[in-house]
Amino acid sequence: MIAPHATKVLVIGYVWPEPRSSAASGHVMQILEVFLQQGWDITFSSPAGFGEQRADLAALGIREVPIELNNSSFDTFISELAPDIVLFDQFMMEEQFGWRVEKHCPDALRVLESSDLQSLRHSRHQRLKERLKASDDNNDFSDLFAPALREEFEHMANTDLAKREIASFYRCDLTLMVSEVEIELLVEQFKFSRNLLHWCPLMVDLPISAPVPFEERAHFLHIGNFRHAPNWDAVLWLKTAIWPLIREQLPAAQLHIYGSYTPPKATALHNPAQGFHVMNWAEDALQVMSATRICMAPLRFGAGIKGKIVDAMLCGTPNVTTPVGAEAMHDEEPWPGTVARSAREFADDCVQLYSDKTLWLDAQAKAQALLAGRYQKSVHGPALVQKLIDCQKNLANIRRDNFTGSMLRHHHHKSTQYMAQWIEAKNRSNQA
């Protein structure tokens, strides 16, 4: 039973959470669980349709309220709810609904869950496309991996997506970031205020049981939502470059590829004769991860931090990835596997780690230390709650000091309000 004085939280989701389909949804669920532990009263709303793997929020005691874009019914809904905190899941939701929150609940704390820095991911994707057009070398991509932050800024600064995304950050009172690298990029290069950012990585409970032994595991695994472009690109790089090199050294090796929303272009790659198995969606990702010997994450672009690698660490499964996959995930701690910059290096590392039990066990031990040092929910959950409470207490000062955000809210919300009113009037006219 929710206490009468409980903090009321409204979450406006880009999608209904599917924690078994994507790390982004998994992070949203972790945040919701932290709020539930505080006894907070939570309402989750989204303009998206219900996905096939969505979480049962109602069973957790979270109200589910579908909403519509450009529909004034949201005004009545939020006015009656009168939330203390509004959490926007990804910046596009702030763009769509921020002005309505400002209008009807001006004193609500506005928080943005960024998931990852989407403009950074998009910029890296564009550079990869240019590189693939310019060269048929499908092996070495070291020139693309983890450039200096100044170089990242120069690629991003003139893009519409970066301007939209960072403007949205300014319009909020606090933005949650999973990546410390992205925090430094925003602060050092975009000159964004560190006070408006909070580091909140993936939050997990440490495993209490021993991992499956080396001898009881077999095969290689790649896992990831096929709708997420970095995952699809990783599958293509595996198919065309990395996996043939592994099969040269391990002719009987088998690769199992799992991912939700598997498109026909992915199932077309299924080839048991080559040991390349496209397995569709995994009912229990941790179960299949625990049964495999190596997790492969050959990401040539991306942003944020990687849920598949956290899952691998939870299962005691060593991983092989790229600098993009390892970015912001381990600070100065040793990596629980290897980090490769070319297809040849990636394949060789996979073969060695798969075959050498001593190296494998060493990587597994590093995973346990890394989880304990960086990803414990018992550490980050209370830190998040305290940050939100502090922001509520100091909201007037935060907004006064964030003049840029106040200015952007003024102009964005006025223009968005006029546009929404025009769309609603047009819709009514069309229905008449």
Side-chain angles (χ1 to χ4, degrees):
M1 185 70 177
I2 300 296
H5 61 278
T7 296
K8 288 196 287 187
V9 181
L10 170 63
V11 182
I12 304 178
Y14 181 67
V15 297
W16 297 93
E18 296 188 11
R20 295 186 297 176
S21 296
S22 75
S25 282
H27 194 231
V28 169
M29 290 301 299
Q30 292 165 2
I31 292 171
L32 293 177
E33 289 166 7
V34 168
F35 292 171
L36 287 171
Q37 289 172 0
Q38 291 298 119
W40 290 357
D41 180 359
I42 307 171
T43 300
F44 194 101
S45 60
S46 177
F50 291 143
E52 59 189 54
Q53 309 298 344
R54 74 184 183 98
D56 187 354
L57 299 180
L60 299 174
I62 299 173
R63 282 186 295 277
E64 298 176 319
V65 181
I67 54 178
E68 296 181 8
L69 300 175
N70 300 313
N71 192 317
S72 58
S73 62
F74 181 84
D75 299 349
T76 303
F77 158 62
I78 194 170
S79 295
E80 294 177 351
L81 182 64
D84 302 296
I85 299 172
V86 176
L87 177 69
F88 302 102
D89 170 29
Q90 302 191 34
F91 82 90
M92 294 82 77
M93 293 298 95
E94 187 280 331
E95 284 186 326
Q96 292 287 343
F97 295 98
W99 72 271
R100 295 187 187 274
V101 173
E102 169 94 352
K103 179 180 179 181
H104 298 285
C105 299
D107 296 327
L109 181 70
R110 293 187 292 266
V111 183
L112 177 60
E113 153 60 0
S114 64
S115 180
D116 64 9
L117 196 55
Q118 295 185 39
S119 50
L120 174 61
R121 170 160 42 91
H122 177 76
S123 174
R124 288 173 169 175
H125 194 184
Q126 293 306 114
R127 298 206 302 278
L128 174 63
K129 290 177 180 178
E130 293 167 3
R131 158 70 170 74
L132 293 174
K133 287 180 181 179
S135 172
D136 58 1
D137 175 20
N138 204 22
N139 176 52
D140 190 352
F141 292 86
S142 56
D143 58 325
L144 292 180
F145 290 142
L149 293 183
R150 182 63 192 179
E151 184 179 344
E152 298 282 21
F153 168 76
E154 291 171 355
H155 286 291
M156 296 168 61
N158 290 326
T159 66
D160 289 344
L161 188 59
K163 293 170 184 175
R164 288 174 53 202
E165 185 172 30
I166 296 173
S168 181
F169 289 8
Y170 270 113
R171 290 192 297 267
C172 291
D173 304 308
L174 185 69
T175 295
L176 309 183
M177 305 291 296
V178 298
S179 166
E180 292 168 305
V181 170
E182 292 171 12
I183 291 176
E184 292 309 309
L185 175 62
L186 289 170
V187 172
E188 298 299 328
Q189 301 301 323
F190 287 92
K191 308 305 179 184
F192 193 87
S193 173
R194 192 182 296 271
N195 293 333
L196 298 175
L197 303 172
H198 178 71
W199 180 50
C200 183
L202 298 177
M203 302 178 285
V204 299
D205 296 315
L206 298 182
I208 57 176
S209 57
V212 177
F214 177 86
E215 293 81 7
E216 297 178 21
R217 297 173 180 244
H219 311 316
F220 295 87
L221 176 141
H222 172 76
I223 191 167
N225 187 331
F226 281 106
R227 289 180 175 175
H228 191 52
N231 290 332
W232 171 239
D233 177 74
V235 171
L236 291 178
W237 199 28
L238 280 169
K239 178 70 173 182
T240 59
I242 296 171
W243 188 243
L245 295 174
I246 291 176
R247 289 277 288 191
E248 285 178 3
Q249 301 178 67
L250 297 175
Q254 305 293 309
L255 169 59
H256 295 166
I257 296 175
Y258 291 90
S260 55
Y261 300 104
T262 310
K265 64 182 180 181
T267 54
L269 301 180
H270 181 69
N271 191 324
Q274 297 174 351
F276 199 91
H277 305 269
V278 178
M279 309 292 287
N280 297 317
W281 181 69
E283 181 71 28
D284 187 334
L286 296 183
Q287 182 180 45
V288 298
M289 185 71 77
S290 294
T292 199
R293 192 172 289 181
I294 303 294
C295 171
M296 304 169 74
L299 298 163
R300 292 190 286 190
F301 74 98
I305 59 177
K306 312 305 177 290
K308 61 177 65 63
I309 294 179
V310 171
D311 285 348
M313 289 191 285
L314 285 169
C315 297
T317 305
N319 76 86
V320 180
T321 190
T322 65
V324 171
E327 182 179 85
M329 292 205 64
H330 64 119
D331 195 22
E332 301 299 323
E333 295 290 328
W335 187 249
T338 65
V339 179
R341 288 169 170 77
S342 69
R344 170 59 68 182
E345 183 183 1
F346 198 102
D348 290 347
D349 286 352
C350 282
V351 170
Q352 185 176 24
L353 197 54
Y354 189 91
S355 307
D356 190 323
K357 181 179 177 180
T358 300
L359 286 178
W360 191 89
L361 289 173
D362 179 64
Q364 186 180 78
K366 291 173 181 174
Q368 304 310 306
L370 186 53
L371 279 176
R374 281 182 74 83
Y375 297 103
Q376 287 198 66
K377 186 189 295 182
S378 61
V379 173
H380 293 291
L384 172 59
V385 169
Q386 190 59 54
K387 182 68 175 181
L388 296 178
I389 292 172
D390 290 344
C391 285
Q392 286 181 296
K393 290 179 180 178
N394 296 290
L395 188 56
N397 292 336
I398 290 170
R399 292 182 175 175
R400 180 201 62 206
D401 294 342
N402 181 20
F403 177 78
T404 300
S406 176
M407 178 176 61
L408 289 171
R409 279 198 306 275
H410 172 78
H411 289 286
H412 175 80
H413 293 166
K414 287 293 184 183
S415 61
T416 307
Q417 179 179 359
Y418 296 147
M419 179 59 72
Q421 290 170 345
W422 180 84
I423 291 173
E424 283 197 83
K426 185 177 181 181
N427 289 338
R428 287 194 298 269
S429 176
N430 290 338
Q431 294 169 4

